[in-house]
Amino acid sequence: MDAPVSIGQSLMGKHLHRSNEKYNVLRAFSSHFRKLLVGSLSFKEAEMRLLEGGQNIPIDHNFPSWWQLWCNAFIHPFNIILIIMATLSFLASDNANGIIMLILVMLSVGIRFHQDYNSSRAAMKLSELLRSQIRVQRCAGKVIQTELVVQIDYRDIVPGDIIHFSPGDLFPGDVRLLTSKDLIVSQSSLTGESGTTEKVADMIEDPSTPLLELKNVCFMGTSVVSGCGTGLVISTGSRTYMSTIFSTMGQEKHTDAFENGLRCVSYALVCIMVLVVPIISLSDYYASHNLGESVIFGISVAVALTPQMLPLIVNTNLAKGAITMAKDRCIVKRLSTIQHMGAMDILCIDKTGTLTTNRIIMVHHMDSWGFPNERVLRFAFLNSYFKTEANSPIDDAILAYAYTNGYRFQASKWRMIEEIPFDFVRRRMSVIIERDLDSIWDEQGSYFDTTKYVITKGALEEVLSISTLIEDVDKGVNLTLTPKDREVVLQKSEELSNDGLRVLGVAMKRANTIIKSGPTKYSALESDMVFLGLISFYDPPKNSAKQALWQLAEKGVKAKVLTGDSLSLAIKVCKEVGIRTTHVTTGPDLDILEHTEFHEAVRRATVLAHLTPTQKLRVVQSLQKVGNHVVGFLGDGINDSLALEAADVGISVDSGASVAKDLADIILLEKDLNVLVSGVEHGRLTNGNTMKYIKMSLVANIGSIISLFIATMFIQFEPLSPRQLLTQNFLYNLGQIAIPWDKVDDRYAKVPQGWSATELPVFILWNGPVCSIFDIGTFLFLRFYYEADQVSDSEFFHSAWFIEGLLMQALIIHMIRTEKIPFIQDMASWPVVFSTITISAVGIMIPFSPIGKLMGLMNLPLSYFGFLVVLFLGYFSLGQVVKRIYILIYKRWL
């Protein structure tokens, strides 16, 4: 019973208190260990424990139902405004306008709901991949208990179950090992480190051993790489280590500047409506003395002030971006993330599999003094070639290196006598081979005797420990391996390790006789070896990674590497892909810093290694709150979940852990940074077209309302009737549907584009009056040139104002959409141009058509259209001057 006490002390040690990762397993383990003494759980007992403790679900992540998605799509400030306006229109008997606004709301909600629902279904399908069957030992029988090994769903595992595991299996809970055979486990999902860990059942741990370094415990979410064994489940569900370290999940993300900005616009428009609409209504009533008409006119003004198409345009923009990204093998789960991609200026990425190929290659084969040596490669090759166990990536790398570099070691002329397999106590493996009798001459034509050879490859320290001689290539003799020689070899190994390489040792000896049996057989064979040299390996960076990072940097997105791997390995990879390594740090170094120093270290560092999950979270939050950055995080492990949830743009891959995919905003079907480059481009385009619509609609609408207000004060009739005003507004909104298919300026797409709460009012103050100046110019022209200021002239005035207002709003699109000179330096996309021409033509034709007669419009003289040409030339000239001054002052346009 010593083992339970030891593990309990380890799990409750100061390591947990320091990291604040609560984990109480001692009591549970002791009781279940006592249960183990009398046998496995019965099916009835397991069922009772399942009812008592609940299903084995580590993090209960519920997918939203269809009605929740519909409510999220429906509840938007502009949708609410439109519904209120529609209701007022129905009350004022303006049913046509009310129906139009409700249709706009339904279209917007429908697009958003459709995209969110499809994304949610895709995420649910991905989550199903986690479900697996676990082999469990259970007792059956009413009188005589018989132990059976059955397969059950991982969710039905309970504390006290004895599980059987083999390579490829995931541990369904936290498990105390009972038996183990050559057990190797990957804990990368928890630690982020790409290496593996040996686990041994028959071991009593020291109480001071860090939690994740316990050899006799395996944790939920980790997987078996090789070996097999049995274990006692001590914790499941929310009581596992994985669940406790992620207990902070579910908290809301920090404030979304884009959504808050839209809400501020909504509230500002409501305030303007409350202020302006009553004044306009009263002014109209003072002139017409018709309260009903004045109320309807006021409602029409409020409708004209509202950017009714905003939800539709925004959601169409986002949906279009999501569809385009899907073609690039990228699933967008949350539409607003596309806008965040455009604003993202820092991308935090994990090294493993993102920057690297996850495929080991051989780099060096050198003697003890660091010089290339073919004999080292020859014997390493023969060792790997004759290995009969499943080849590791190391063996594959050695064989691939020899074949691709033209070495011909003629393995067919050798035969294997025996193999000493690898184990994690010796940390090496050996083969005993001899030359075939038919081929006793080597490649150089010299005699090669038929003596048997023992060839050993493994961890450098272990290979040195069984070596007594060292090969001197220059002298062609074997010398005694002295402490100084060992120091030289270890120093060279350290240099290679600091370059991010993994180093193994190679040794050999002649064995004239083979010990056939006995307890000392292997130790006798692996002794008095001749140390030959070193071989090194490397996980190379992807060919596409350097180009992708360069493209991201060009677009103003800085990359920071947040990894659980060692600092030296991270630096090596980052140097090869072009990430600066001037400022680097590690998790333990960050832990000892004060708050101010921590934030400064995070700001400066480009490589942060050996990080725990909570440290990754702190780094992301520091960049967001202190650095005021829009942060993206790319990760695929459970250890990345905290950072994924906190980031503005959480990105995972379809091969990642289920929890990571659930929390991610975007799921990549290929772990390739080039997909993210494309995503940033789509985000900038979406953001640019959204800002175009917001700014041009507010400038046009507010400028139009100011003009209507001024005109109402000086003439005896309404500048436009409610029906005319609503028709004009409807045509203008219809023409803006093409905006999501527009392009953006190259300059705009090159830098991150965030939302500025103070910029929009300033933009409107600069550009709104420009529109009003020319509207007022039209008013003065009509009054003094055509003398249309009496009630009898209202039909002519309405027709002229209707066409001028509609054309002005249509052309504002081209003035606002680019910082260049419209139609000369930059032309809009063909859908926008076609939309402008169509809406303008329809607007000009209406007064001349029967529909125009029904609306109270009339034919206009040709001279008026000549005036409009001059008017709009003046508008574009003055508007361009104002634009250039604005850009000089504020250094941006959209």
Side-chain angles (χ1 to χ4, degrees):
M1 295 297 292
D2 291 335
V5 176
S6 177
I7 186 175
Q9 292 171 339
S10 298
L11 292 173
M12 300 299 290
K14 62 181 180 180
H15 174 79
L16 283 182
H17 292 288
R18 183 173 62 249
S19 61
N20 199 28
E21 297 166 351
K22 301 177 182 178
Y23 188 79
N24 186 358
V25 77
L26 175 60
R27 180 175 56 189
F29 180 80
S30 299
S31 62
H32 296 316
F33 192 80
R34 289 193 295 271
K35 179 69 180 177
L36 177 63
L37 297 178
V38 297
S40 307
L41 293 180
S42 66
F43 285 94
K44 185 175 181 180
E45 174 69 17
E47 185 177 352
M48 291 175 60
R49 294 191 182 194
L50 186 63
L51 290 173
E52 180 183 347
Q55 284 194 319
N56 181 29
I57 301 175
I59 300 174
D60 190 8
H61 186 75
N62 295 320
F63 290 97
S65 60
W66 69 267
W67 63 268
Q68 288 175 314
L69 293 173
W70 190 89
C71 288
N72 291 337
F74 181 80
I75 299 174
H76 188 282
F78 279 106
N79 288 338
I80 303 302
I81 291 175
L82 286 179
I83 290 172
I84 293 173
M85 292 294 99
T87 303
L88 293 175
S89 296
F90 287 127
L91 292 175
S93 300
D94 189 4
N95 297 332
N97 182 47
I99 291 172
I100 289 172
M101 284 187 283
L102 289 180
I103 289 173
L104 291 174
V105 171
M106 290 301 105
L107 283 173
S108 173
V109 172
I111 291 174
R112 181 67 175 264
F113 170 76
H114 176 74
Q115 186 65 30
D116 286 351
Y117 182 71
N118 286 343
S119 297
S120 180
R121 288 185 63 187
M124 284 189 282
K125 289 179 181 178
L126 287 170
S127 69
E128 296 292 324
L129 299 176
L130 180 65
R131 299 185 179 181
S132 58
Q133 298 292 310
I134 307 298
R135 288 177 295 156
V136 180
Q137 190 172 306
R138 291 275 175 88
C139 289
K142 294 183 178 180
V143 180
I144 301 176
Q145 294 283 308
T146 303
E147 290 193 345
L148 304 174
V149 177
V150 296
Q151 287 193 337
I152 65 173
D153 191 278
Y154 82 101
R155 292 171 298 181
D156 296 330
I157 295 293
V158 297
D161 269 330
I162 297 175
I163 64 170
H164 294 240
F165 47 82
S166 56
D169 289 343
L170 283 172
F171 287 99
D174 293 339
V175 175
R176 169 56 159 95
L177 296 178
L178 302 177
T179 63
S180 63
K181 181 180 179 182
D182 301 329
L183 182 59
I184 307 301
V185 172
S186 171
Q187 295 188 153
S188 60
S189 60
L190 295 179
T191 64
E193 297 181 7
S194 56
T196 56
T197 304
E198 177 195 7
K199 297 288 184 178
V200 181
D202 299 328
M203 179 175 289
I204 298 176
E205 292 284 7
D206 187 88
S208 62
T209 304
L211 186 61
L212 291 176
E213 295 180 17
L214 293 173
K215 296 291 185 182
N216 54 11
V217 176
C218 298
F219 299 95
M220 174 181 254
T222 61
S223 59
V224 180
V225 176
S226 63
C228 58
T230 61
L232 177 71
V233 178
I234 53 180
S235 292
T236 58
S238 60
R239 294 171 295 279
T240 58
Y241 171 79
M242 183 183 74
S243 297
T244 55
I245 65 173
F246 299 127
S247 59
T248 59
M249 287 202 322
Q251 299 176 358
E252 293 186 2
K253 292 190 178 186
H254 76 289
T255 304
D256 187 328
F258 181 72
E259 290 292 334
N260 283 347
L262 290 181
R263 293 183 187 278
C264 289
V265 171
S266 306
Y267 300 144
L269 287 176
V270 170
C271 293
I272 293 173
M273 287 179 193
V274 171
L275 200 67
V276 173
V277 170
I279 296 176
I280 290 181
S281 298
L282 289 174
S283 299
D284 184 70
Y285 176 71
Y286 178 78
S288 65
H289 302 288
N290 188 326
L291 182 60
E293 285 291 327
S294 299
V295 170
I296 294 175
F297 181 68
I299 293 173
S300 303
V301 170
V303 171
L305 182 61
T306 306
Q308 296 110 317
M309 301 294 285
L310 180 60
L312 180 63
I313 294 292
V314 170
N315 288 327
T316 302
N317 256 321
L318 297 177
K320 179 178 176 291
I323 293 170
T324 306
M325 291 178 69
K327 294 177 182 177
D328 292 332
R329 300 181 60 76
C330 180
I331 298 174
V332 179
K333 291 174 56 183
R334 196 162 64 95
L335 281 179
S336 59
T337 302
I338 299 176
Q339 190 277 333
H340 295 155
M341 287 283 282
M344 180 177 70
D345 57 351
I346 287 184
L347 176 63
C348 299
I349 54 181
D350 183 18
K351 175 197 71 65
T352 306
T354 304
L355 298 178
T356 60
T357 60
N358 254 353
R359 179 178 54 83
I360 294 175
I361 63 170
M362 185 173 173
V363 181
H364 299 110
H365 51 95
M366 57 182 64
D367 61 22
S368 304
W369 289 269
F371 297 103
N373 189 316
E374 186 177 320
R375 277 175 58 81
V376 176
L377 178 60
R378 178 198 298 271
F379 283 103
F381 172 87
L382 293 174
N383 177 283
S384 296
Y385 184 88
F386 286 105
K387 180 180 178 182
T388 58
E389 289 185 342
N391 275 6
S392 68
I394 293 289
D395 296 305
D396 293 337
I398 293 172
L399 298 177
Y401 182 88
Y403 289 137
T404 56
N405 286 278
Y407 292 101
R408 297 291 180 266
F409 294 130
Q410 298 180 320
S412 60
K413 296 183 179 181
W414 295 81
R415 66 184 184 90
M416 187 176 73
I417 300 174
E418 192 168 357
E419 176 182 5
I420 306 175
F422 178 90
D423 65 59
F424 279 85
V425 177
R426 296 165 35 256
R427 295 199 298 159
R428 58 181 182 266
M429 68 84 54
S430 301
V431 295
I432 299 96
I433 62 174
E434 68 176 356
R435 193 80 165 184
D436 278 349
L437 294 176
D438 295 334
S439 52
I440 61 174
W441 299 89
D442 68 5
E443 294 82 353
Q444 284 74 35
S446 58
Y447 180 73
F448 202 115
D449 64 40
T450 57
T451 303
K452 300 171 179 63
Y453 283 83
V454 180
I455 307 173
T456 300
K457 172 181 92 261
L460 179 61
E461 296 83 357
E462 301 299 333
V463 174
L464 284 172
S465 70
I466 60 172
S467 300
T468 56
L469 300 172
I470 187 170
E471 186 177 61
D472 190 323
V473 179
D474 294 334
K475 297 179 181 179
V477 296
N478 296 329
L479 305 176
T480 302
L481 181 63
T482 65
K484 184 177 180 180
D485 294 331
R486 290 177 184 271
E487 184 179 346
V488 170
V489 172
L490 292 174
Q491 184 177 357
K492 186 61 183 177
S493 172
E494 185 177 354
E495 292 175 4
L496 295 173
S497 297
N498 289 337
D499 286 337
L501 302 179
R502 181 178 177 182
V503 180
L504 298 181
V506 180
M508 54 79 70
K509 75 171 184 179
R510 296 178 178 179
N512 295 320
T513 60
I514 299 297
I515 302 173
K516 295 187 177 181
S517 63
T520 61
K521 173 183 177 180
Y522 287 168
S523 59
L525 287 172
E526 292 182 331
S527 63
D528 300 325
M529 306 286 287
V530 179
F531 185 78
L532 298 179
L534 310 171
I535 50 177
S536 65
F537 304 88
Y538 181 44
D539 183 5
K542 292 179 179 176
N543 293 330
S544 61
K546 187 170 186 178
Q547 179 184 5
L549 289 170
W550 179 77
Q551 289 178 329
L552 286 171
E554 267 201 330
K555 297 180 183 302
V557 181
K558 297 179 181 178
K560 288 181 180 285
V561 174
L562 277 59
T563 180
D565 281 327
S566 67
L567 181 61
S568 59
L569 183 56
I571 290 176
K572 170 71 174 177
V573 174
C574 290
K575 283 182 177 178
E576 294 208 10
V577 297
I579 297 178
R580 291 183 179 180
T581 57
T582 308
H583 301 289
V584 299
T585 188
T586 64
D589 291 337
L590 291 175
D591 270 345
I592 63 176
L593 299 178
E594 298 294 334
H595 285 297
T596 305
E597 295 173 330
F598 175 87
H599 296 312
E600 179 61 20
V602 169
R603 183 189 69 83
R604 289 163 57 89
T606 53
V607 181
L608 299 95
H610 218 282
L611 297 180
T612 66
T614 51
Q615 287 170 337
K616 290 183 180 182
L617 172 64
R618 288 186 65 200
V619 170
V620 170
Q621 291 176 335
S622 172
L623 293 170
Q624 289 173 325
K625 297 176 181 179
V626 179
N628 198 29
H629 295 288
V630 178
V631 181
F633 186 91
L634 172 59
D636 59 358
I638 298 173
N639 61 305
D640 298 319
S641 298
L642 289 175
L644 278 170
E645 187 185 42
D648 300 283
V649 184
I651 309 164
S652 188
V653 294
D654 66 338
S655 59
S658 178
V659 174
K661 291 183 290 190
D662 287 346
L663 295 173
D665 303 309
I666 292 175
I667 297 176
L668 306 181
L669 300 183
E670 293 180 5
K671 201 168 186 180
D672 189 348
L673 288 178
N674 283 299
V675 178
L676 292 183
V677 175
S678 177
V680 169
E681 292 172 350
H682 293 314
R684 302 270 171 89
L685 178 62
T686 299
N687 188 75
N689 286 334
T690 302
M691 291 308 299
K692 282 178 195 175
Y693 174 77
I694 292 173
K695 289 187 174 182
M696 69 178 59
S697 61
L698 290 178
V699 167
N701 291 357
I702 291 176
S704 176
I705 296 307
I706 293 173
S707 304
L708 283 171
F709 176 71
I710 294 173
T712 303
M713 299 291 291
F714 290 97
I715 58 177
Q716 302 174 9
F717 52 87
E718 299 165 346
L720 288 174
S721 70
R723 190 173 299 278
Q724 293 163 356
L725 180 59
L726 292 173
T727 301
Q728 183 191 72
N729 189 63
F730 173 74
L731 289 172
Y732 168 61
N733 286 329
L734 200 62
Q736 293 174 322
I737 291 178
I739 289 175
W741 285 266
D742 195 17
K743 57 185 179 179
V744 296
D745 292 336
D746 293 338
R747 177 180 169 184
Y748 184 90
K750 283 183 178 179
V751 294
Q753 301 295 339
W755 179 282
S756 174
T758 58
E759 180 190 354
L760 195 57
V762 174
F763 188 89
I764 294 170
L765 287 175
W766 273 80
N767 293 277
V770 177
C771 303
S772 298
I773 288 173
F774 290 91
D775 284 341
I776 294 169
T778 302
F779 167 70
L780 296 175
F781 181 76
L782 293 174
R783 182 167 185 176
F784 293 107
Y785 184 80
Y786 291 111
E787 298 181 350
D789 57 350
Q790 301 299 316
V791 176
S792 58
D793 301 318
S794 61
E795 190 173 338
F796 176 81
F797 190 96
H798 288 166
S799 302
W801 191 278
F802 176 86
I803 291 178
E804 185 274 339
L806 179 61
L807 295 181
M808 175 65 75
Q809 289 180 325
L811 292 174
I812 283 175
I813 295 175
H814 297 271
M815 175 59 70
I816 300 297
R817 63 167 295 277
T818 177
E819 63 182 45
K820 301 176 182 178
I821 301 174
F823 304 115
I824 298 176
Q825 292 180 329
D826 186 76
M827 181 69 72
S829 64
W830 73 262
V832 175
V833 173
F834 177 79
S835 173
T836 301
I837 294 173
T838 302
I839 296 301
S840 300
V842 170
I844 292 172
M845 290 168 57
I846 283 178
F848 298 90
S849 68
I851 296 176
K853 301 299 184 288
L854 292 175
M855 292 174 57
L857 301 176
M858 61 175 289
N859 298 346
L860 293 171
L862 190 61
S863 59
Y864 178 70
F865 292 98
F867 164 75
L868 289 182
V869 172
V870 176
L871 181 81
F872 292 129
L873 286 174
Y875 166 71
F876 278 110
S877 299
L878 180 59
Q880 193 63 31
V881 170
V882 171
K883 182 191 295 184
R884 297 316 306 169
I885 296 173
Y886 181 90
I887 293 173
L888 286 173
I889 296 174
Y890 299 102
K891 309 303 180 186
R892 60 180 293 174
W893 179 239
L894 289 178

